């Protein structure tokens, strides 16, 4: 079982969205632009897991323990 980290990479975003890794990088770039406009520091190619969950689903995903 994989441990979840604070930041998601493109592979993880692609898995959640069921899309290609190339498209996931595009989504990450757009979300990072949102965060930059809000004054947050961003890391290229990565996005905070909580932001993805809120932005895509409107809530934090429940994880099985």
């Amino acid at each position: 079982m994989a441990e979840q980290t604070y930041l998601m990479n493109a592979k993880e975003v692609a898995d959640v969205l069921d899309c290609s890794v190339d498209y996931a990088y595009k989504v990450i770039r757009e979300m990072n632009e949102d965060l930059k406009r809000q004054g947050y520091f961003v890391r290229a190619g990565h996005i905070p897991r909580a932001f993805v969950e809120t932005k895509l689903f409107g809530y934090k995903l429940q994880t099985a323990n």
Side-chain angles (χ1 to χ4, degrees):
M1 181 159 60
E3 182 179 321
Q4 286 191 349
T5 58
Y6 170 72
L7 294 174
M8 293 177 76
N9 61 28
K11 170 73 170 98
E12 291 172 302
V13 173
D15 289 344
V16 168
L17 294 178
D18 192 27
C19 67
S20 70
V21 174
D22 288 339
Y23 184 74
Y25 275 115
K26 179 181 181 212
V27 169
I28 289 171
R29 278 192 300 273
E30 291 174 6
M31 288 186 182
N32 277 340
E33 285 302 317
D34 270 354
L35 288 172
K36 281 182 192 177
R37 283 192 294 275
Q38 294 175 36
Y40 292 99
F41 173 80
V42 298
R43 182 174 167 202
H46 295 80
I47 192 78
R49 185 174 305 279
F51 186 73
V52 171
E53 292 168 350
T54 302
K55 187 78 168 177
L56 296 179
F57 308 109
Y59 59 89
K60 184 168 173 40
L61 292 176
Q62 297 295 324
T63 58
N65 291 334

